[in-house]
């Protein structure tokens, strides 16, 4: 299947959605009439099927941008160039489930790889208008962790951040910057066509400013870092009697995941570990039942998260194949859900935990959840369950999504350019409310500290250890 990183993954789905592109010629040019036709099609899809289009955007300003772009489509464009025009139009709605595909099997990338192209290799974090290096994956390892990038190829870093940010879908600023941080090396090529060697100006932790030439890494090595394996890991810290389980994606076979979790909680039981943390700081979502499965090791009481789900009826949903999972859900909604105009709504009291195959592994100690602005979609749902059901202590930064959120993404291909776009078809209302509109708020919010990068300190883990030690 084709690897696409949307900004996020599906909410309440049964796996990751990958677009099945059908051979668009990346060198082809589309004339102005074709481009305007595709633009109008996308505009219509957004207006007629998005369930919460103006929940975080202004209707007048967004329409102005559509009309402005349409008036400027007077010449021919390639597929990649047109994608760059469409991405900001969808990003303006501030909904991470509304986006243009990010395709890692495009003809353009295949050609770049075949020609020896390389991606900038730094793992970075973007904080406001600054880019900080967390790790240098370049074989020469010239840049120290905790260094700040000032420019790349003589382009000031604040200009780069602004241009990448404007094309990045996400629910709020921190979420969009978190996604730009994750995809930084790829985006520099996608936006500017840059390859190695890269010329950088960096400021080291001690304040020294110097120029660096980076040979970067191959496309294959970059993708290995971007798509990690395994998705589940566990680290044990004996001094704190702590096990930290990280999940980087809610994807994969449920039974195999259950086996993995059984093995983790067997070790936790054997070692009489009293503190367990689930690390979702790098988890963008997937199958929400995976999060519910994990929490089933902590509680068998009903889990609170959302209290309603609403489909917006549209021609796109009606036209889906009868055996498609989303069509089955929608057809059921037509028969049994409450109708209010073009919306079909069902209500929930709670989510039911899953029965453990090995009840003796049920954990009765202290639970913690680590979150960040990258914690999105179904991972955000797990944070909601923990917060609403008061299952443990949340540490980190607010999650990346609106409290009343969208989901059930439907991908469609534009008729001329064959560009895949993703638009949600349903919206959800949260079971519990906070004054903050964005993000599940941690019990303890940790601040970014560049000194932690320079000294290889995991900020949230260090805070968690201090919290445990303070209780001894």
């Amino acid at each position: 299947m084709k690897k696409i990183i949307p900004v996020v993954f599906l909410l309440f789905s049964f796996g990751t959605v990958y677009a099945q592109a059908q051979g668009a010629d990346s060198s082809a040019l589309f004339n102005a009439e074709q481009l305007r036709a595709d633009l109008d099609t996308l505009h219509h899809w957004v207006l007629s099927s998005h369930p919460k289009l103006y929940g975080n955007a202004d209707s007048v300003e967004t329409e102005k941008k559509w009309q402005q772009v349409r008036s400027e489509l007077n010449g021919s464009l390639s597929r990649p160039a047109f994608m760059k025009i469409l991405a900001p139009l969808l990003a303006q709605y501030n909904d991470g489930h509304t986006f243009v595909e990010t395709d890692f099997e495009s003809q353009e990338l295949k050609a770049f790889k075949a020609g020896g192209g390389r991606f900038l290799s730094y793992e970075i974090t973007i904080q406001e208008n600054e880019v900080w290096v967390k790790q240098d994956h370049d074989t020469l390892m010239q840049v120290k962790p905790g260094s700040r990038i000032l420019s790349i190829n003589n382009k000031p870093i604040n200009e780069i951040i602004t241009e990448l940010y404007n094309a990045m879908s996400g629910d709020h600023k921190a979420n969009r910057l978190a996604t730009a941080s994750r995809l930084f090396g790829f985006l520099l090529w996608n936006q500017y066509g840059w390859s190695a060697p890269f010329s950088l100006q960096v400021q080291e932790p001690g304040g020294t400013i110097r120029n660096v030439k980076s040979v970067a890494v191959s496309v294959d090595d970059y993708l290995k870092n971007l798509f990690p394996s395994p998705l589940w890991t566990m680290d044990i810290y004996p001094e704190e009697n702590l096990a930290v389980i990280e999940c980087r994606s809610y994807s994969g076979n449920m039974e195999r995941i259950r086996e993995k979790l059984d093995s983790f909680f067997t070790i936790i039981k054997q070692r009489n570990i009293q503190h367990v943390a689930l690390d979702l700081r790098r988890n963008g979502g997937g199958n929400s039942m995976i999060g519910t499965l994990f929490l089933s090791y902590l509680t068998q009481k009903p889990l609170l998260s959302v209290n309603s789900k609403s489909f917006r009826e549209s021609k796109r949903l009606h036209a889906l194949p009868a055996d498609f999972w989303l069509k089955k859900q929608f057809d059921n909604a037509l028969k049994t859900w409450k109708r209010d105009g073009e919306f079909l709504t069902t209500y929930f009291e709670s989510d039911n935990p899953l029965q453990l195959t090995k009840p003796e592994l049920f954990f009765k100690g202290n639970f913690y959840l680590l979150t960040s602005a990258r914690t999105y979609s179904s991972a955000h749902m797990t944070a909601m369950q923990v917060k609403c059901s008061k299952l443990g202590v949340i540490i980190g930064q607010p999650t990346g999504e609106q409290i009343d959120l969208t989901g059930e993404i439907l991908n469609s291909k534009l008729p001329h350019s064959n560009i895949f776009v993703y638009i949600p078809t349903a919206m959800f209302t949260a079971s519990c409310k906070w004054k903050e509109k964005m993000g599940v708020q941690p019990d303890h919010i940790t601040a970014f500290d560049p000194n932690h990068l320079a000294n290889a300190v995991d900020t949230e883990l260090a805070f968690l250890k201090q919290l445990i030690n303070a209780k001894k």
Side-chain angles (χ1 to χ4, degrees), residues 384-432:
M384 290 181 69
Q385 290 172 322
V386 172
K387 186 83 170 183
C388 292
S389 302
K390 300 179 181 178
L391 293 181
V393 177
I394 304 177
I395 299 168
Q397 297 83 46
T399 58
E401 194 159 9
Q402 301 177 60
I403 299 304
D404 291 333
L405 57 151
T406 65
E408 309 296 35
I409 311 168
L410 178 61
N411 65 309
S412 300
K413 185 172 64 173
L414 294 173
H416 297 289
S417 61
N418 286 335
I419 293 171
F420 275 90
V421 294
Y422 296 70
I423 302 169
T425 63
M427 61 182 180
F428 305 81
T429 58
S431 298
C432 54

Side-chain angles (χ1 to χ4, degrees), residues 53-244:
L53 192 58
Y54 303 117
N56 200 25
D58 180 83
S59 60
V60 175
E61 292 303 314
T62 52
E63 283 304 297
K64 283 182 180 178
K65 291 180 182 178
W66 283 98
Q67 299 310 318
Q68 178 184 348
V69 168
R70 196 180 196 283
S71 68
E72 294 172 355
L73 288 176
N74 298 314
S76 297
L77 291 173
S78 66
R79 182 172 177 268
F82 191 39
M83 290 174 70
K84 292 178 186 178
I85 290 174
L86 297 182
L89 287 173
L90 297 188
Q92 67 179 329
Y93 294 105
N94 298 303
D95 175 17
H97 287 128
T98 307
F99 55 91
V100 176
E101 70 174 0
T102 302
D103 186 358
F104 287 93
E105 291 188 7
S106 68
Q107 294 302 314
E108 297 84 11
L109 184 54
K110 289 179 180 178
F112 178 71
K113 175 183 172 180
R118 300 171 73 83
F119 286 141
L120 192 66
S121 52
Y122 306 129
E123 183 180 345
I124 60 100
T125 181
I126 302 175
Q127 302 292 327
E128 296 299 331
N129 289 321
E130 297 179 333
V131 173
W132 298 86
V133 176
K134 298 171 69 175
Q135 188 174 354
D136 182 359
H137 294 291
D138 191 317
T139 54
L140 299 179
M141 297 186 66
Q142 301 177 82
V143 178
K144 299 176 181 177
S147 297
R148 186 162 62 95
I149 299 176
L150 304 178
S151 68
I152 303 176
N153 292 348
N154 297 317
K155 189 175 183 68
I157 200 65
N158 62 319
E159 294 182 13
I160 293 174
I161 294 171
T162 298
E163 291 169 4
L164 298 185
Y165 176 86
N166 288 338
M168 193 63 53
S169 290
D171 286 39
H172 60 96
K173 184 175 183 179
N175 175 240
R176 291 167 75 168
L177 291 179
T179 302
S181 297
R182 183 190 181 200
L183 302 178
F184 192 64
F186 172 83
L187 293 175
L188 292 178
W189 166 75
N190 192 59
Q191 183 72 21
Y192 307 115
W194 288 347
S195 181
F198 292 86
S199 299
L200 299 97
Q201 187 178 68
V202 301
Q203 184 176 37
E204 295 184 332
T208 302
I209 296 176
R210 67 189 187 93
N211 296 319
V212 175
K213 287 281 188 183
S214 173
V215 298
V217 296
S218 69
V219 172
D220 285 341
D221 285 343
Y222 178 86
L223 293 179
K224 286 177 183 177
N225 290 325
L226 194 60
F227 297 98
S229 180
L231 295 178
W232 291 86
T233 58
M234 183 172 73
D235 293 310
I236 294 177
Y237 302 90
E239 290 186 11
E240 288 78 23
N241 201 13
L242 166 68
V244 178

Side-chain angles (χ1 to χ4, degrees), residues 145-443:
S147 297
R148 186 162 62 95
I149 299 176
L150 304 178
S151 68
I152 303 176
N153 292 348
N154 297 317
K155 189 175 183 68
I157 200 65
N158 62 319
E159 294 182 13
I160 293 174
I161 294 171
T162 298
E163 291 169 4
L164 298 185
Y165 176 86
N166 288 338
M168 193 63 53
S169 290
D171 286 39
H172 60 96
K173 184 175 183 179
N175 175 240
R176 291 167 75 168
L177 291 179
T179 302
S181 297
R182 183 190 181 200
L183 302 178
F184 192 64
F186 172 83
L187 293 175
L188 292 178
W189 166 75
N190 192 59
Q191 183 72 21
Y192 307 115
W194 288 347
S195 181
F198 292 86
S199 299
L200 299 97
Q201 187 178 68
V202 301
Q203 184 176 37
E204 295 184 332
T208 302
I209 296 176
R210 67 189 187 93
N211 296 319
V212 175
K213 287 281 188 183
S214 173
V215 298
V217 296
S218 69
V219 172
D220 285 341
D221 285 343
Y222 178 86
L223 293 179
K224 286 177 183 177
N225 290 325
L226 194 60
F227 297 98
S229 180
L231 295 178
W232 291 86
T233 58
M234 183 172 73
D235 293 310
I236 294 177
Y237 302 90
E239 290 186 11
E240 288 78 23
N241 201 13
L242 166 68
V244 178
I245 298 171
E246 181 178 20
C247 177
R248 295 183 64 172
S249 175
Y250 279 167
S251 58
N253 179 275
M254 283 288 288
E255 288 309 309
R256 290 183 180 178
I257 293 169
R258 186 189 289 272
E259 291 173 1
K260 173 70 72 173
L261 292 177
D262 279 352
S263 69
F264 286 164
F265 280 95
T266 296
I267 294 171
I268 289 168
K269 184 177 179 64
Q270 289 172 345
R271 299 195 182 188
N272 194 30
I273 290 172
Q274 296 302 306
H275 302 275
V276 168
L278 175 62
D279 186 354
L280 297 181
R281 289 175 294 173
R282 295 188 284 185
N283 191 317
N287 180 356
S288 63
M289 289 304 297
I290 294 174
T292 299
L293 172 61
F294 182 92
L295 296 181
S296 301
Y297 288 82
L298 311 176
T299 184
Q300 284 296 305
K301 295 180 181 179
L303 296 166
L304 299 174
S305 57
V306 296
N307 60 20
S308 73
K309 172 181 176 179
S310 299
F311 276 118
R312 183 183 179 189
E313 187 174 10
S314 69
K315 291 181 179 179
R316 296 174 73 227
L317 284 174
H318 278 286
L320 291 173
D323 60 346
F324 188 56
W325 68 269
L326 188 54
K327 184 63 159 61
K328 292 178 180 178
Q329 285 195 21
F330 176 63
D331 286 345
N332 179 63
L334 286 170
K335 296 174 184 176
T336 63
W337 294 13
K338 180 180 178 181
R339 178 180 286 279
D340 182 7
E342 59 183 345
F343 286 92
L344 302 160
T345 301
T346 189
Y347 297 91
F348 313 100
E349 291 185 2
S350 61
D351 304 320
N352 294 318
L354 304 179
Q355 292 295 318
L356 299 182
T357 55
K358 298 180 179 180
E360 67 273 15
L361 297 181
F362 187 80
F363 178 72
K364 298 179 181 180
N366 300 298
F367 175 65
Y368 311 86
L369 181 69
L370 307 183
T371 62
S372 76
R374 270 180 60 182
T375 308
Y376 198 81
S377 196
S378 293
H380 162 87
M381 290 288 298
T382 299
M384 290 181 69
Q385 290 172 322
V386 172
K387 186 83 170 183
C388 292
S389 302
K390 300 179 181 178
L391 293 181
V393 177
I394 304 177
I395 299 168
Q397 297 83 46
T399 58
E401 194 159 9
Q402 301 177 60
I403 299 304
D404 291 333
L405 57 151
T406 65
E408 309 296 35
I409 311 168
L410 178 61
N411 65 309
S412 300
K413 185 172 64 173
L414 294 173
H416 297 289
S417 61
N418 286 335
I419 293 171
F420 275 90
V421 294
Y422 296 70
I423 302 169
T425 63
M427 61 182 180
F428 305 81
T429 58
S431 298
C432 54
K433 303 290 185 181
W434 305 277
K435 63 180 180 180
E436 295 86 1
K437 180 182 178 182
M438 294 290 178
V440 175
Q441 303 295 307
D443 300 292

